Amino acid sequence: MLRSSWVNAVIAACVLTSVSALGGCGQFSPPYLKPLSAQTQALLTQKGMTAESPVLVRIFKSESELEIWKAKDDGRFYHFKTYPICDWSGTLGPKVNQGDRQTPEGFYLVSAPQMNPKSKYYLSFNLGFPNAYDRSNGRTGADIMVHGDCKSAGCYAMTDGVVEEIYILAREALAGGQQSFQVQAYPFRMTKANMEKHKDDKWYDFWQSLREGYDYFEITHLPPKVDVCNKHYLINAAFVGGATPNPVGACPAFQKLPVQRAPRVPLQEASAKPQGRTADAGFLGKPLGSWFGLSFGPPKAPVYQAFTLGPATPATPVPTPTKQVKVKSKAAAVTAQQ
């Protein structure tokens, strides 16, 4: 009798444990359905932002950093958080050809169809490469993502935990009514000093066109209007008579839009980046993954909303075997082009 009672007690305890576990399963969503963490929600509230407010992304290769900016009630964007990029492949400079394993630079738009909740790399969103500028210059490639898994073969790779928070912030902004968010991808922070360091680089003229958008956002905290004509970016232009620019044709007559400086506010930093980073990537600024032997690219060399960049075709990225990409000398690069 005592034995029977003991067995019944054990069975009852097991059943209760099983029921509790099954009930708890409903609390765990797939990654793409997860809510923001309580800590992230608290930080948004602290900074006067909401999860549903518009979002903007800035990427800096040399510093291996991705910034999230959020709009406030005045319509301007304010810095929310900086995340470390775990790995990116290639060198400083834009993506040119399919298979060059080069991460792109330029101005891109991401809308809801480009969000990939079932990515092979945890979570991802398609940058929209090639955009109108890329296509007008004959650049090729597809499925260029910001994704997890800390492995890059032409994409910007984050750790899974980091890309999850970025993905949720983007998802909530799009669900809140933002039609698309802008991604500004730069080779480095485009300060006067950094531009001077790279004045002899073959991509200097291209970077000058990016810098105009960078400077505008720094001054106004508003996404620059981006058009493409004559195979160049044209920043903040209003075309006479409402003309539509042709990416490969001459630019129609235009006037520059006014620049309205953002009000000064106390600096608020909620950065996930390691302390001691400098504008020159160097040893301390290398991608996070390389500390653990996960980098698929070489050590990196030292160191707006857009409207007409064209749609992208979202697709799930296919893993590509990668190998270290060697940085060509300037002389070698010129020889290769001949």
Side-chain angles (χ1 to χ4, degrees), residues 23-330:
C25 289
Q27 300 175 7
F28 298 95
S29 302
Y32 63 91
L33 292 179
K34 285 183 179 180
L36 285 170
S37 69
Q39 294 88 341
T40 302
Q41 290 278 18
L43 183 59
L44 284 167
T45 301
Q46 176 187 330
K47 294 199 166 194
M49 304 167 178
T50 67
E52 299 79 17
S53 62
V55 69
L56 181 144
V57 176
R58 296 203 304 177
I59 291 172
F60 300 98
K61 274 186 180 179
S62 187
E63 293 84 353
S64 293
E65 292 175 349
L66 183 150
E67 293 179 346
I68 293 292
W69 293 66
K70 295 282 285 178
K72 292 188 179 182
D73 291 342
D74 63 359
R76 298 181 191 266
F77 286 76
Y78 297 86
H79 178 253
F80 172 63
K81 206 169 183 181
T82 299
Y83 302 87
I85 296 173
C86 191
D87 193 29
W88 57 269
S89 58
T91 61
L92 299 186
K95 181 174 180 63
V96 176
N97 296 314
Q98 173 78 35
D100 62 8
R101 298 185 179 177
Q102 182 77 3
T103 44
E105 296 169 7
F107 303 106
Y108 297 91
L109 283 177
V110 178
S111 57
Q114 290 161 251
M115 303 292 287
N116 188 357
K118 298 183 180 180
S119 171
K120 293 181 180 179
Y121 300 97
Y122 192 62
L123 294 169
S124 67
F125 57 83
N126 191 317
L127 282 178
F129 179 94
N131 62 19
Y133 174 89
D134 300 318
R135 293 192 297 272
S136 71
N137 284 275
R139 297 176 181 175
T140 59
D143 302 333
I144 306 300
M145 308 278 178
V146 172
H147 61 65
D149 204 33
C150 195
K151 300 174 183 176
S152 172
C155 299
Y156 291 101
M158 323 297 289
T159 63
D160 289 354
V162 166
V163 81
E164 181 178 289
E165 181 163 298
I166 294 170
Y167 184 96
I168 296 172
L169 286 166
R171 181 199 71 195
E172 291 301 296
L174 293 171
Q178 188 176 15
Q179 295 299 306
S180 59
F181 62 88
Q182 188 180 69
V183 177
Q184 305 172 8
Y186 299 112
F188 42 76
R189 295 190 182 277
M190 309 200 81
T191 62
K192 183 177 179 180
N194 282 341
M195 292 298 292
E196 180 66 21
K197 290 178 184 178
H198 296 277
K199 64 181 180 181
D200 295 326
D201 196 287
K202 68 176 182 178
W203 297 115
Y204 183 77
D205 289 342
F206 169 68
W207 290 338
Q208 285 280 44
S209 68
L210 300 188
R211 188 186 180 191
E212 186 175 356
Y214 173 90
D215 287 346
Y216 177 83
F217 184 75
E218 286 283 304
I219 293 170
T220 67
H221 289 194
L222 295 170
K225 180 177 180 290
V226 180
D227 291 288
V228 181
C229 55
N230 198 28
K231 299 184 179 182
H232 287 84
Y233 283 121
L234 184 62
I235 307 301
N236 287 344
F239 294 99
V240 176
T244 300
N246 182 344
V248 297
C251 295
F254 65 87
Q255 295 179 333
K256 284 287 190 175
L257 297 172
V259 176
Q260 300 177 344
R261 183 176 292 274
R264 291 186 176 275
V265 295
L267 182 63
Q268 290 181 318
E269 287 297 335
S271 176
K273 63 184 179 180
Q275 295 299 315
R277 278 272 179 90
T278 62
D280 292 331
F283 178 73
L284 291 178
K286 64 184 179 180
L288 179 63
S290 63
W291 290 99
F292 305 101
L294 297 176
S295 176
F296 280 63
K300 303 304 183 271
V303 243
Y304 251 53
Q305 202 127 58
F307 303 99
T308 60
L309 298 186
T313 303
T316 301
V318 178
T320 303
T322 59
K323 61 181 180 180
Q324 283 214 333
V325 181
K326 295 182 178 180
V327 180
K328 296 181 179 179
S329 65
K330 183 175 180 182

